Amino acid sequence: MEKIMIELTKNPKNKPDSKNLGFGKYFSDHMFVMDYDTGKGWHNPRIVPYGPFSIEPSAMVLHYAQEIFEGLKAYRRADGRVQLFRPWDNIRRMNNSAERLSIPKVDEELVLEAMKQLVRIDIDWVPSDPETSLYIRPFIFANEPHVGVHSSNKYIFCIITSPVGAYYPEGMNPVKIFVESRDVRTVRGGTGSAKTGGNYAATLRAGEEAGKRGFSQVLWLDGIHRKYIEEVGSMNVWFKINGKIITPPLEGTILPGITRASCIDILNHWGIPISERLITIDELIESAHKGLLEEAWGSGTAAVISPIGEIFYKDERFIVNEGKTGPLTGKLYDYLTAIQWGKTEDPFSWTVIL
Ligand SMILES: *Cc1c(COP(=O)(O)O)cnc(C)c1O
């Protein structure tokens, strides 16, 4: 493994007030960077002071969006130590995204080592107030200066970190979601199962319009039939209908969430059967009409578990569990976050203590 060079900052920043972190607004003192050139491969891994890149206006990412990213968190445990949650899964998923976007893969061991060293160097940036953590954002972008369509011959891999508070500062209030029937996120064969910026760009319009109408997330339907439920905002989605737990299957259009995988393992561990299957919006609405829709939630690293309290579809409003967090939703949140913050034993070996 190539040695990671380290250049420490001479101008450490003031740390933000840990009571008012918000999400993704502050960045710690250092970042990890590594370059790729065709013929040379990935090289020059280094930790340097956080700061701007200088890239040419012709840098390919600006024109053809050849870019991927990841998101995971480092948590401050009650005993003061810091741990990463399932970092291997994020690194493997990043390489899967790389493969889809024709980006050269990275050495997984090196990336884990880079993450660990970066978090250790900025360990004082890992906040300790309840619900806070250090968000870790690895990303890769095409940096060859060429306005021509091909996969780039130059890339930059970077990891930045950001101290974050609870995703919803008002607390775990169930969100209102708008079922989007005009725009779609992706189709089978597209890039839905890769974590790439372009998928997000395509969702902003619907998200903004839903926001103006008072909804905090969009429920996405499949791009072909416009009837199968896919994801909610940038989270995987879950329903409890008539006692059964349902989440859409990974068939290429859905991001294989690590929080989703963790929910599956926890529910199995509790002996609660789940069914990964296609579910149509009509089935969901019919079960809501019949009073069988008991709980709904989204899962993702940023908010961990986000209860859904209201669903709006074709001028009709459906309230889930009286707009309150469902019992199973709450139990999942409590258990998963207890593992993440090291407040309970981790029977799954998900955490990596620094
Ligand atoms: C990142 C992401 C998720 C959630 O994945 P986690 O690994 O649980 O954070 C879900 N959907 C989309 C579109 C995403 O980008």
Side-chain angles (χ1 to χ4, degrees):
M1 200 195 305
E2 209 178 329
K3 192 169 174 331
I4 299 171
M5 298 306 297
I6 295 175
E7 179 200 335
L8 297 180
T9 181
K10 293 188 183 68
N11 304 301
K13 295 184 264 193
N14 290 328
K15 302 214 174 36
D17 171 11
S18 63
K19 300 273 180 294
N20 270 311
L21 290 171
F23 198 92
K25 292 192 293 187
Y26 303 102
F27 300 96
S28 60
D29 279 329
H30 298 89
M31 61 183 187
F32 172 84
V33 186
M34 175 164 74
D35 304 311
Y36 179 93
D37 287 270
T38 298
K40 236 175 138 178
W42 287 108
H43 60 278
N44 195 13
R46 58 203 186 270
I47 290 173
V48 292
Y50 177 94
F53 288 122
S54 162
I55 62 172
E56 294 208 26
S58 56
M60 288 181 66
V61 65
L62 301 178
H63 305 271
Y64 311 117
Q66 202 189 3
E67 184 271 354
I68 55 173
F69 67 96
E70 268 303 327
L72 68 157
K73 285 174 173 174
Y75 298 84
R76 178 78 66 180
R77 296 160 49 95
D79 63 13
R81 289 187 290 172
V82 170
Q83 64 187 18
L84 304 177
F85 183 70
R86 307 190 72 165
W88 282 117
D89 296 274
N90 288 90
I91 297 169
R92 276 189 218 115
R93 186 172 68 189
M94 190 167 70
N95 268 342
N96 289 338
S97 300
E99 137 78 21
R100 178 65 185 84
L101 274 284
S102 290
I103 290 172
K105 291 188 183 181
V106 289
D107 175 347
E108 298 181 356
E109 309 249 352
L110 175 70
V111 173
L112 182 64
E113 186 54 32
M115 260 180 215
K116 285 180 168 173
Q117 288 199 24
L118 181 63
V119 176
R120 274 195 208 112
I121 284 176
D122 282 335
I123 198 93
D124 292 343
W125 286 83
V126 184
S128 51
D129 285 87
E131 315 265 304
T132 62
S133 55
L134 186 75
Y135 186 74
I136 304 173
R137 166 54 59 87
F139 58 103
I140 303 178
F141 62 91
N143 193 33
E144 183 185 341
H146 187 197
V147 178
V149 180
H150 60 88
S151 49
S152 178
N153 287 302
K154 275 176 175 295
Y155 298 86
I156 290 179
F157 173 94
C158 181
I159 308 176
I160 54 176
T161 67
S162 169
V164 298
Y167 196 72
Y168 298 108
E170 5 28 289
M172 206 171 69
N173 284 328
V175 294
K176 299 180 179 176
I177 63 174
F178 179 85
V179 182
E180 173 62 37
S181 14
R182 177 192 52 180
D183 293 353
V184 298
R185 250 189 98 242
T186 177
V187 291
R188 221 177 274 190
T191 53
S193 61
K195 221 168 165 68
T196 177
N199 288 345
Y200 279 72
T203 65
L204 297 177
R205 175 170 83 166
E208 269 170 28
E209 287 181 13
K212 277 188 210 139
R213 302 175 64 174
F215 299 94
S216 54
Q217 300 280 348
V218 165
L219 187 72
W220 298 105
L221 301 179
D222 79 278
I224 293 174
H225 312 280
R226 310 286 178 106
K227 66 179 193 186
Y228 297 106
I229 293 171
E230 303 228 302
E231 298 197 57
V232 57
S234 52
M235 293 182 284
N236 295 113
V237 70
W238 297 77
F239 303 103
K240 180 162 179 257
I241 298 175
N242 199 15
K244 295 207 173 66
I245 316 287
I246 300 162
T247 193
L250 303 177
E251 292 184 347
T253 54
I254 292 175
L255 204 282
I258 291 158
T259 320
R260 176 186 183 278
S262 305
C263 288
I264 292 175
D265 290 347
I266 290 173
L267 291 166
N268 284 335
H269 180 70
W270 288 341
I272 300 176
I274 62 146
S275 127
E276 287 181 74
R277 67 159 170 91
L278 294 173
I279 171 166
T280 63
I281 184 68
D282 292 335
E283 179 184 344
L284 185 75
I285 295 307
E286 197 188 308
S287 56
H289 274 145
K290 289 187 183 150
L292 300 175
L293 176 56
E294 294 160 12
E295 298 187 38
W297 70 90
S299 66
T301 297
V304 190
I305 300 287
S306 183
I308 295 170
E310 187 179 313
I311 299 170
F312 188 84
Y313 180 57
K314 288 193 178 156
D315 300 324
E316 240 192 307
R317 208 172 273 277
F318 301 91
I319 306 293
V320 187
N321 191 45
E322 300 172 348
K324 299 204 244 354
T325 301
L328 186 63
T329 310
K331 203 176 146 195
L332 257 178
Y333 177 84
D334 290 343
Y335 186 56
L336 183 50
T337 54
I339 294 176
Q340 291 172 329
W341 272 282
K343 292 179 193 157
T344 190
E345 192 199 333
D346 166 16
F348 307 98
S349 303
W350 284 334
T351 48
V352 175
I353 300 184
L354 290 187

